Amino acid sequence: MSQSDQETAKEGRKAALVIAAAGLAAALAPTITSALGLGLRYEILIYLFALAAFFWSLVVTFQIWQKGRK
């Protein structure tokens, strides 16, 4: 594998981990907030962080796709 391919694979793995962590955080947000005794606004904050992570991953995967087209 070339250096460029290794960097692309590393970016892909990072994006995949962020997607998995964001999905897990969004799925467990109600459980986390109720276990810690937090209000609804903190649950929404977790959802917003997950949404931002999903958006970041979308941008990174688009960049990876663009690299592959060249």
Side-chain angles (χ1 to χ4, degrees), residues 9-64:
K10 185 177 179 180
E11 290 175 1
R13 284 190 299 271
K14 189 186 307 181
L17 287 174
V18 169
I19 291 169
L24 191 61
L28 295 177
T31 306
I32 293 169
T33 55
S34 67
L36 297 176
L38 301 173
L40 182 62
R41 68 176 62 179
Y42 291 102
E43 185 176 342
I44 293 171
L45 185 63
I46 293 172
Y47 289 137
L48 288 175
F49 281 136
L51 183 63
F54 284 133
F55 182 75
W56 177 85
S57 297
L58 180 67
V59 170
V60 169
T61 53
F62 181 75
Q63 290 173 347
I64 292 170

